[in-house]
Amino acid sequence: GIQARFGAELAPAETALRFALSNPAVSTTIVGMSNIRQVQDAAAWSKNGPLPENILAGIEALRTAPAVAAAAN
């Protein structure tokens, strides 16, 4: 995953939340939670702010890279 690729120790849900918060055009996010621990985690992750630039750049590189599976077909 993106965490292993860039040496980050982030949960996938944290990565997703902080990715949304990294976009200056986003002023709020809607996060689905089913228990108090998830609420606490989301609050803590949002305090960490946007993702570091190296992770954002890596996500962008993955997003814009040609799909390997599509090329194989």
Side-chain angles (χ1 to χ4, degrees), residues 22-46:
S22 296
N23 184 332
V26 174
S27 59
T28 190
T29 60
I30 299 173
V31 182
M33 296 161 262
S34 59
N35 60 54
I36 192 66
R37 179 63 188 177
Q38 291 174 350
V39 173
Q40 293 167 334
D41 286 344
W45 296 334
S46 66

Side-chain angles (χ1 to χ4, degrees), residues 2 5-6 19 52-65:
I2 196 79
R5 185 176 284 220
F6 296 99
F19 177 78
E53 287 299 320
N54 67 316
I55 294 177
L56 288 172
I59 291 171
E60 181 64 14
L62 290 172
R63 188 185 73 77
T64 58

